[in-house]
Amino acid sequence: MKVLVFQHVAAEHPGSFRDLMRADGVTWDAVELDEGEKIPPLEGYDALMVFGGPMDVWQEEEHPWLVAEKQAIRDWMATGRPYLGVCLGHQLLADALGGKVGLMAKPEVGVTDVSLTSDGAASPLFQGLDGTFPTLQWHGAAVLELPEGAKILAENAHCPIQALQVGERAFGIQYHVELTEATVPEWGEIIEYRCALEAITGPEGQKLLEAATREKMPVFREAAGKLYRNFRSTWG
């Protein structure tokens, strides 16, 4: 099995999924779009994973490669093969298929709870997970309107579309499930992320968030394993 990965900044990669894929005998090719790498032909890949980044889906003038990426997502979706988008990758799935993404009134950054909807509880992606669980959030934009035919899988009061599903095998997740012990320290070095964090928490926010994620890391790691295996089961 072979996975194609779209990345938008070096620090936003498959994270804990790397070890899970390695143990599973799955290989993956990363395309660092922000560095000008070109999207390869989509044939020969069994799944597409799209991760986060500091840009927004509408910034096509600043990041022209977003146009090609959205087209690649549409082309991929036409094949019916599995898709998993995280944070920006979640928003790109919605935007590429005709949904609406926009700025939130207030960014959501920190460890917050998310709850499954009835569709989420029935979705193959969330089998074996609790109905409400802690997550790492770090975003100032959100999916505001679903693309046609999509379902909301998870929600919270701050962001009503925390996860979505399109068709049988395409999923978007707004929160971060792939984090490792190095994730929050690395992301704190990205100026856009650090500013969003400190706008909410003040200058001590980075230290507080690192402590909060360390405390929940066993829970995050277990959830990542379950979600990866569930996604893997959709590959056929």
Side-chain angles (χ1 to χ4, degrees):
M1 292 290 185
K2 195 171 185 180
V3 175
L4 181 61
V5 173
F6 291 166
Q7 296 181 186
H8 314 95
V9 64
E12 292 239 32
H13 46 66
S16 62
F17 289 165
R18 294 173 298 182
D19 290 339
L20 295 166
M21 287 191 284
R22 189 178 302 114
D24 206 18
V26 174
T27 60
W28 55 284
D29 294 335
V31 181
E32 195 69 50
L33 293 162
D34 59 302
E35 294 182 1
E37 294 184 3
K38 301 301 181 184
I39 296 172
L42 302 179
E43 296 79 8
Y45 291 99
D46 299 287
L48 175 62
M49 293 184 181
V50 182
F51 290 93
M55 61 288 299
D56 289 304
V57 299
W58 56 82
Q59 293 183 312
E60 294 179 358
E61 286 192 13
E62 298 92 328
H63 309 288
W65 45 264
L66 281 167
V67 176
E69 181 179 20
K70 292 177 190 180
Q71 185 59 54
I73 291 172
R74 286 189 287 269
D75 292 344
W76 181 269
M77 289 295 296
T79 72
R81 282 174 282 174
Y83 175 102
L84 180 64
V86 175
C87 199
L88 179 61
H90 159 79
Q91 296 169 14
L92 282 165
L93 175 64
D95 183 85
L97 298 182
K100 181 180 178 182
V101 177
L103 288 175
M104 307 170 73
K106 181 181 179 181
E108 184 178 26
V109 183
V111 175
T112 65
D113 282 349
V114 161
S115 297
L116 297 180
T117 64
S118 58
D119 284 327
S123 172
L125 190 66
F126 288 106
Q127 294 306 299
L129 277 81
D130 293 337
T132 298
F133 47 88
T135 65
L136 174 65
Q137 306 276 355
W138 207 327
H139 63 110
V143 177
L144 304 180
E145 295 178 10
L146 292 173
E148 185 177 355
K151 298 182 288 190
I152 299 175
L153 303 183
E155 62 189 358
N156 68 10
H158 198 89
C159 178
I161 306 178
Q162 286 283 352
L164 62 85
Q165 179 174 345
V166 183
E168 296 298 318
R169 302 199 290 176
F171 308 95
I173 302 172
Q174 180 58 72
Y175 64 88
H176 290 280
V177 68
E178 79 287 10
L179 68 158
T180 70
E181 289 81 356
T183 298
V184 172
E186 288 179 353
W187 291 357
E189 299 299 317
I190 300 173
I191 186 63
E192 293 91 343
Y193 293 177
R194 188 70 172 251
C195 287
L197 172 61
E198 292 183 352
I200 298 170
T201 62
E204 293 296 306
Q206 181 69 27
K207 186 196 312 185
L208 294 172
L209 186 54
E210 289 181 14
T213 53
R214 277 196 303 272
E215 179 186 351
K216 294 293 185 181
M217 192 57 65
V219 177
F220 293 150
R221 194 178 295 114
E222 181 181 5
K226 289 180 179 179
L227 190 139
Y228 166 78
R229 288 188 291 273
N230 288 342
F231 180 57
R232 176 71 176 79
S233 73
T234 70
W235 297 9

